[in-house]
Amino acid sequence: MQIYFIRHGRTQYNLEHRFQGGRADSPLVESGIAGAKAAGTYLQNVEFSAVYSSPQQRALDTAKYIVAANHWQPEIQVDDGLREFDFGDWDGLKEDEVQPQSYAPMIFTSPAEYQPELAGGGEDYATFVTRITDTIHRLVDQVGVSNTKPLLVVSHGLVTTMTVKALMGVPLAKLRAPFIINGQEMKTVGHGIVDNDSLTVLSTPDNRQFELTRWNETTYLE
């Protein structure tokens, strides 16, 4: 079984460097729409076993653009387990606006020590990682791990990045550290996440062991 992960297209909040988590949403900007369409063209000949999207509009709109270009026109199924990390009251605020500002770096550097009650509330990393990895295990079980058609998951930067790292055995404390595969540091943007409209692919023979076959691919966006 292969799992294709697409991060949603660029939004206005992305451009403004605002926290855009599970409680916030911002529409796709023109470049985000173009990227979603490019991803759709790139994947138009892939017959998916199923397509799942986060319920948040930026992800769902991205999924719609991808499916619109696909020859098989698969149904998009919405799953709340794919919702982005909940930043609590920090959602929608610019990174330099949140209070206490002195605690803001913790969310970008120290996932094991980050305490949401000292920030804006919302989720801690352990809860988040359990939610997203449990969701992927469940979706793989639903379509069948022996299915030869890949599963498409359209979601968010942290959902994609942290799901892949966690399923590959990266411990909680290292989730925000550089991602090293075979001695090579993998390309990321922002605070160590995958690009908007990028493609990342995992393969698994048993829904327990996972192998990275593509990471943060963006060649089709150029």
Side-chain angles (χ1 to χ4, degrees):
M1 161 63 69
Q2 287 189 309
I3 310 162
Y4 284 42
F5 295 89
I6 294 279
R7 183 189 174 192
H8 65 77
R10 189 173 292 112
T11 70
Q12 189 62 38
Y13 277 12
N14 290 146
L15 298 179
E16 296 173 0
H17 300 286
R18 294 180 182 273
F19 283 95
Q20 187 176 207
R23 303 187 190 188
D25 228 339
S26 176
L28 300 181
V29 295
E30 186 175 345
S31 63
I33 293 172
K37 289 180 177 179
T41 300
Y42 185 64
L43 299 174
Q44 64 184 347
N45 294 319
V46 179
E47 185 178 5
F48 293 105
S49 57
V51 177
Y52 289 94
S53 172
S54 160
Q56 294 177 268
Q57 199 62 49
R58 59 191 185 272
L60 189 54
D61 285 347
T62 301
K64 289 176 179 177
Y65 284 117
I66 293 170
V67 165
N70 191 271
H71 290 323
W72 286 271
Q73 296 287 294
E75 176 188 358
I76 300 170
Q77 302 179 66
V78 172
D79 196 296
D80 200 62
L82 299 172
R83 186 178 291 273
E84 182 62 298
F85 187 96
D86 186 349
F87 294 108
D89 293 338
W90 283 9
D91 255 332
L93 297 179
K94 291 184 178 180
E95 293 173 11
D96 60 0
E97 292 176 340
V98 300
Q99 296 297 329
Q101 184 64 207
S102 61
Y103 197 73
M106 291 292 289
I107 205 166
F108 301 126
T109 61
S110 307
E113 289 79 35
Y114 173 73
Q115 300 177 59
E117 62 271 19
L118 300 179
E123 288 181 293
D124 59 41
Y125 276 91
T127 302
F128 173 64
V129 169
T130 297
R131 167 167 66 84
I132 58 179
T133 55
D134 283 354
T135 298
I136 295 303
H137 285 305
R138 173 171 51 80
L139 298 183
V140 170
D141 280 339
Q142 285 178 195
V143 300
V145 72
S146 61
N147 202 314
T148 58
K149 300 174 185 177
L151 170 66
L152 176 61
V153 174
V154 184
S155 61
H156 307 272
L158 278 173
V159 173
T160 297
T161 306
M162 301 308 167
T163 297
V164 169
K165 286 186 172 184
L167 290 177
M168 293 190 65
V170 176
L172 186 67
K174 299 292 186 181
L175 286 178
R176 283 290 196 170
F179 190 28
I180 309 295
I181 299 291
N182 297 325
Q184 178 182 355
E185 182 174 338
M186 309 304 281
K187 178 176 72 78
T188 59
V189 294
H191 298 287
I193 61 176
V194 296
D195 288 85
N196 291 104
D197 289 311
S198 63
L199 171 66
T200 296
V201 181
L202 283 179
S203 61
T204 177
D206 54 11
N207 206 9
R208 293 190 298 274
Q209 299 296 315
F210 293 84
E211 179 184 359
L212 184 68
T213 57
R214 296 194 222 179
W215 169 259
N216 198 18
E217 182 176 350
T218 57
T219 55
Y220 50 86
L221 302 179
E222 296 171 357

